[in-house]
């Protein structure tokens, strides 16, 4: 293998074109475009114009067998990620799958199991937000115990406004058989991943989900989910695609501090001088009067720090590509191992299943039941084959 990884890009749509641009303009110094694949024949001319002599294929298997690529990235509809990942690894080619890793856990587990049988290959997922220095720092703060044990989390992420024309743009969009869901599998996978990456995987979830609430679609466009972490700790996740002036606010409350993130750009970290229960138990009536009347000096209770990192557009994605190539070339640890992709899919599946059954669902849910319920909805559409 050369000192630069030859990447095959499967799908030259919005994401694939973005990655091709990053690589061709030198933003990923240890990677070159080895080949491009797309079933849309019109993309061949586009590729020839922008990337000159790079081979173009209309069948990804042919590209995998060509010898032109050392690794691939799968920029295709969600259902295809596991299948393409397996076919890639089967040929001893490294695989970077787009988010989400798939639509349902059974198919993603098949990909993970196959990847486990090929430990010599690099297997990653495009969770570019894990390359955001702000969230990396917040993960450190939580893991270091700087705000104590988590008692509550909540994330309102409604900055996904999508007019009806967006959903009308393609026959597969916002369908069960084409996309596998709505906002949970299309817009919010990064937040579902970060939520559990930083705060931990919950034990169960209860969800109220609206399907075609403010849009003429079959899938979800409004979600409110309540999770249980055990030991009294809870979390709430709210997302939607019909809020024109959407909100992005993420809070993590610990028993010795709090983190508040606004617009995924700025975090205010409050650290209590001692655990909250100790503060409570140590206060006499004079202190309580000051608390009630707002006269207690905050410095007696906590310190506060504002954290902000610049994160120009594209740097996170290019960084994941560079990290993937570095893992292939010299074993640099992956920012986002491919096996982690199942965690966000499992959480999204549990949210859907809870809304379909009207009950609280363990994260260790019945995968066959979920797939049966998903297939009912695919069958009702009558446009796509059911899944196995």
């Amino acid at each position: 293998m050369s000192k630069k990884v030859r990447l095959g890009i499967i799908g030259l749509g919005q994401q694939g074109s973005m990655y091709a641009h990053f690589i061709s303009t030198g933003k990923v110094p240890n990677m070159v475009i080895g080949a491009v694949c797309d079933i849309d024949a019109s993309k061949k001319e586009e590729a020839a114009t922008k990337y000159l002599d790079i081979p173009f294929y209309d069948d990804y298997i042919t590209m995998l067998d060509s010898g032109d690529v050392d690794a691939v990235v799968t920029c295709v509809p969600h259902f295809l990620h596991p299948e393409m990942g397996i076919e890639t690894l089967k040929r001893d080619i490294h695989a970077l799958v787009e988010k989400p890793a798939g639509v349902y856990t059974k198919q993603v587990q098949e990909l993970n199991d196959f990847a486990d049988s090929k430990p010599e290959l690099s297997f990653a997922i495009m969770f570019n937000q894990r390359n955001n220095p702000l969230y990396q720092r917040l993960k450190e703060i939580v893991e270091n115990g700087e705000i104590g044990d988590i008692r509550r989390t909540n994330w309102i992420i409604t900055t996904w406004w999508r007019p009806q024309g967006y959903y009308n743009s393609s026959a597969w969009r916002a369908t069960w058989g084409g996309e596998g869901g709505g906002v949970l599998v299309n817009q919010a996978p990064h937040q579902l991943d970060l939520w559990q990456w930083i705060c931990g995987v919950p034990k169960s979830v209860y969800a109220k989900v609206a399907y075609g609430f403010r849009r003429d679609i079959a899938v979800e466009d409004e979600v409110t989910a309540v999770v249980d972490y055990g030991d009294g700790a809870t979390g709430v996740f709210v997302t939607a695609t019909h809020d024109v002036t959407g909100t992005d606010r993420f809070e993590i409350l610990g028993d010795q501090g709090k983190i508040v993130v606004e617009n995924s750009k700025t975090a205010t970290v409050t650290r209590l001088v001692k655990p909250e229960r100790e503060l409570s138990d140590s206060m006499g009536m004079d202190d309580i009067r000051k608390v009630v009347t707002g006269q207690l000096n905050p410095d007696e209770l906590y310190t506060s720090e504002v954290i902000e990192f610049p994160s120009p557009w594209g740097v996170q994605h290019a960084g994941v590509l560079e990290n993937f190539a570095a893992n292939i070339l010299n074993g640099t640890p992956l920012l986002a191992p491919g096996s982690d992709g199942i965690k966000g899919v499992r959480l999204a599946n549990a949210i859907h299943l809870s809304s379909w059954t009207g009950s609280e669902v363990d994260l260790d849910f019945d995968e066959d039941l979920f797939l049966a319920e998903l297939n009912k909805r695919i069958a009702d559409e009558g446009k796509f084959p059911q899944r196995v």
Side-chain angles (χ1 to χ4, degrees):
M1 188 184 300
S2 67
K3 292 183 179 179
K4 290 191 177 185
V5 172
R6 299 173 301 161
L7 185 72
I9 301 173
I10 308 177
L12 201 60
Q14 180 177 344
Q15 291 299 114
S17 295
M18 180 173 68
Y19 301 153
H21 172 74
F22 291 155
I23 297 168
S24 64
T25 54
K27 292 182 173 62
V28 189
N30 52 2
M31 184 175 278
V32 295
I33 304 174
V36 173
C37 177
D38 200 297
I39 60 174
D40 182 352
S42 67
K43 298 291 185 180
K44 183 174 184 178
E45 183 177 346
E46 176 186 339
T49 301
K50 292 182 178 179
Y51 313 118
L52 301 178
D53 298 327
I54 293 170
F56 181 92
Y57 296 91
D58 59 10
D59 176 76
Y60 85 97
I61 295 293
T62 304
M63 184 184 76
L64 293 177
D65 292 336
S66 68
D68 290 329
V69 300
D70 307 310
V72 301
V73 60
T74 62
C75 305
V76 293
H78 310 142
F79 279 111
L80 297 176
H81 292 164
E83 169 192 320
M84 290 187 170
I86 290 172
E87 291 296 333
T88 298
L89 296 169
K90 189 183 294 184
R91 290 163 173 78
D92 292 329
I93 295 171
H94 308 280
L96 171 61
V97 296
E98 254 296 347
K99 59 81 185 171
V103 173
Y104 52 99
T105 54
K106 285 193 71 173
Q107 63 165 185
V108 179
Q109 189 61 57
E110 290 178 7
L111 170 59
N112 284 359
D113 289 345
F114 192 84
D116 285 344
S117 73
K118 296 278 190 173
E120 71 280 8
L121 297 176
S122 297
F123 171 46
I125 185 167
M126 181 55 83
F127 280 148
N128 57 279
Q129 283 292 325
R130 290 196 185 187
N131 197 33
N132 184 328
L134 177 65
Y135 287 118
Q136 289 178 342
R137 177 66 183 122
L138 299 186
K139 181 175 173 65
E140 288 179 359
I141 289 171
V142 171
E143 289 184 343
N144 291 342
E146 296 178 40
I147 63 168
D149 294 332
I150 291 177
R151 307 314 306 155
R152 188 190 70 243
T153 72
N154 49 277
W155 201 335
I156 301 175
I157 176 70
T158 58
T159 52
W160 312 121
W161 186 56
R162 297 293 187 270
Q164 185 64 44
Y166 166 83
Y167 295 109
N168 295 344
S169 64
S170 298
W172 56 267
R173 193 176 291 283
T175 59
W176 293 112
E179 253 189 314
V183 64
L184 288 174
V185 301
N186 192 328
Q187 286 82 27
H190 286 300
Q191 285 68 37
L192 289 177
D193 174 64
L194 288 174
W195 193 27
Q196 60 80 30
W197 187 57
I198 295 171
C199 302
V201 178
K203 296 181 180 300
S204 63
V205 61
Y206 178 76
K208 296 290 287 185
V209 178
Y211 300 93
F213 178 49
R214 295 295 182 188
R215 296 291 180 266
D216 184 18
I217 57 177
V219 296
E220 78 280 356
D221 56 346
E222 168 96 8
V223 176
T224 300
V226 179
V227 300
D228 184 347
Y229 295 104
D231 194 29
T234 59
V236 178
F237 188 82
V238 176
T239 190
T241 60
H242 54 76
D243 186 345
V244 175
T245 60
T247 299
D248 180 1
R249 183 180 175 91
F250 181 26
E251 297 186 5
I252 309 171
L253 176 66
D255 60 10
Q256 200 166 338
K258 184 178 183 179
I259 298 171
V260 179
V261 188
E262 293 283 3
N263 299 315
S264 296
K265 294 180 179 178
T266 304
T268 301
V269 182
T270 303
R271 298 174 177 87
L272 303 184
V273 297
K274 61 179 68 174
E276 186 275 333
R277 288 294 292 269
E278 291 184 28
L279 285 173
S280 173
D281 293 343
S282 67
M283 286 194 166
M285 286 308 300
D286 286 343
D287 295 319
I288 293 171
R289 290 189 191 96
K290 290 180 182 179
V291 171
V292 172
T293 58
Q295 298 178 54
L296 191 67
N297 184 352
D299 293 341
E300 299 179 39
L301 301 177
Y302 59 83
T303 61
S304 186
E305 175 191 10
V306 176
I307 301 174
E308 187 170 10
F309 292 95
S311 188
W313 180 85
V315 169
Q316 295 171 15
H317 293 86
V320 172
L321 290 169
E322 184 175 356
N323 170 256
F324 176 55
N327 181 259
I328 294 169
L329 296 171
N330 55 41
T332 298
L334 289 169
L335 289 167
S339 57
D340 282 2
I342 197 168
K343 296 176 181 178
V345 175
R346 187 177 301 282
L347 188 50
N349 285 180
I351 291 171
H352 275 137
L353 189 58
S354 174
S355 77
W356 295 339
T357 61
S359 60
E360 187 171 1
V361 170
D362 288 343
L363 265 288
D364 185 20
F365 56 82
D366 183 338
E367 295 179 327
D368 290 326
L369 174 61
F370 175 84
L371 184 54
E373 291 294 330
L374 175 62
N375 275 327
K376 287 180 185 177
R377 286 153 181 81
I378 294 174
D380 286 344
E381 288 174 335
K383 303 176 185 177
F384 307 94
Q386 296 184 41
R387 304 292 167 168
V388 296

